[in-house]
Amino acid sequence: VQLQASGGGLVQAGGSLRLSCAASGRIFTTYDWAWFRQAPGKERDFVAGKYSGGLTSYADSVKGRFTISRDNAKNTVYLQMNSLKPEDTAVYYCALRRYPDDTWHQSGMDYWGKGTQVTVSS
């Protein structure tokens, strides 16, 4: 399984971006998807998760601004990011896990994309 993230870039504060992550290989609809991000000098943090059943989970810092969605037919997950802030600047990683869990930790994810840079200017 390989994940390819795209859609990052430079945007002004208040702007929007949509990230995409396409998976290739043997993907099952029972897998959960997630986005994490890592700012310079900081740890990689959970941003948003999409359970196979459709439920979503978000970090408090992005609730109401970010939306995660998935297209099973395309094996693709998206992250719509609105009202971006400078503190959203980070490398964003998509990830996939084979087995469900109530929490979202990077150690529980089985596959990772290489990341896409998002920079929000003030």
Side-chain angles (χ1 to χ4, degrees):
V1 174
Q2 291 187 329
L3 305 180
Q4 181 65 51
S6 61
L10 173 64
V11 64
Q12 288 188 333
S16 298
L17 280 175
R18 189 176 84 150
L19 306 183
S20 300
C21 179
S24 59
R26 194 174 186 186
I27 306 296
F28 294 95
T29 57
T30 54
Y31 291 2
D32 296 338
W33 289 85
W35 288 93
F36 289 75
R37 68 185 180 187
Q38 187 167 19
K42 295 187 177 182
E43 296 185 350
R44 190 174 299 186
D45 292 328
F46 169 74
V47 175
K50 185 77 166 178
Y51 292 94
S52 60
L55 293 177
T56 56
S57 180
Y58 296 95
D60 289 342
S61 59
V62 307
K63 280 181 181 176
R65 300 188 298 122
F66 290 11
T67 302
I68 186 172
S69 60
R70 64 191 288 176
D71 185 333
N72 289 332
K74 296 181 178 180
N75 285 338
T76 300
V77 68
Y78 305 95
L79 185 67
Q80 178 66 44
M81 305 185 294
N82 298 328
S83 301
L84 282 162
K85 305 175 181 180
E87 50 263 44
D88 294 318
T89 295
V91 177
Y92 283 71
Y93 298 88
C94 57
L96 201 58
R97 69 182 180 195
R98 294 172 292 171
Y99 306 108
D101 196 329
D102 291 338
T103 60
W104 297 91
H105 295 293
Q106 56 174 322
S107 62
M109 308 307 292
D110 297 302
Y111 306 104
W112 290 89
K114 287 188 177 180
T116 184
Q117 176 70 48
V118 172
T119 303
V120 184
S121 62
S122 57

